[in-house]
Amino acid sequence: MKSPIILYWCDPLECISTILNHPLFHDQLDFMPRKVYSTAQKLCRVYTEWMTGDNAWNMQSALPQGATLLGTILSSDKTNISVLMGDHVVHPLLVGLTNTRMNTQLKSLSNSFVLTALLPVPKFLHKNKHMCGVLTDCLIHQCLDIVLQLLKEATLHGVMLSDPVGQSHYCFTPLASYSGSKKCPNVYAFSSNLVIASQNKTITK
């Protein structure tokens, strides 16, 4: 590389807090996992939201009594941000919550996802393309460790956050989902496992 790498990011907990206490989401957030059945005999389970699934139910059961589960969604895809001024490419990292109902998440103007980082995509000078790929993956991992550090700490120890009506919740923020380009799942596996491992450590206590 001929120029230094710059990582632009903000606190993901602040991003989550922005979503959680957004006044437009006051009736679009689910704070408790639930099991939904199609009949009173409970013969057929219905899955409509992430909070109706077994993962949410199991995670909530492992948290301290009265704690709130905030499943974190990470989304990223390679994007060209300056076509006529240097042709700069980055991975915008968006964060959202599984607690937000699906019909709200699917609306592009709902602001249910917040930009928390611009992960750099540098051009290395090494002639071996495989080595350049390895260096890029290592850089992404290091950037994610920096950006998600506070999120992982909240997964382990919890954090106090306010909802749209001003009530405080003792929240835990395990990684629930990641979506992105075809290459990104392998790139993000390392940091994703760290967040999930933190949640497992909480469960074993």
Side-chain angles (χ1 to χ4, degrees), residues 76-78 91 119 140-141 144 178-190 192:
S76 182
D77 200 357
K78 184 182 289 187
H91 283 287
L119 306 179
I140 292 294
H141 291 162
L144 284 173
Y178 166 78
S179 62
S181 62
K182 293 182 179 179
K183 181 181 179 181
C184 285
N186 293 329
V187 174
Y188 285 82
F190 178 73
S192 299

Side-chain angles (χ1 to χ4, degrees), residues 20 25-34 48-52 60 68-71 97-103 169:
L20 188 62
F25 296 158
H26 72 279
D27 58 349
Q28 296 295 320
L29 295 170
D30 294 322
F31 292 106
M32 289 298 296
R34 62 190 186 278
T48 56
E49 308 282 345
W50 186 81
M51 295 297 278
T52 64
Q60 182 67 55
T68 300
L69 175 66
L70 298 181
L97 292 176
T98 57
N99 306 69
T100 309
R101 293 177 184 171
M102 189 65 65
N103 60 347
H169 296 261

Side-chain angles (χ1 to χ4, degrees), residues 57-78:
W57 190 271
N58 294 336
M59 287 182 182
Q60 182 67 55
S61 300
L63 297 181
Q65 186 175 2
T68 300
L69 175 66
L70 298 181
T72 304
I73 305 173
L74 294 179
S75 177
S76 182
D77 200 357
K78 184 182 289 187

Side-chain angles (χ1 to χ4, degrees), residues 74-89:
L74 294 179
S75 177
S76 182
D77 200 357
K78 184 182 289 187
T79 303
N80 195 317
I81 61 173
S82 59
V83 177
L84 301 177
M85 298 178 62
D87 195 25
H88 294 293
V89 178

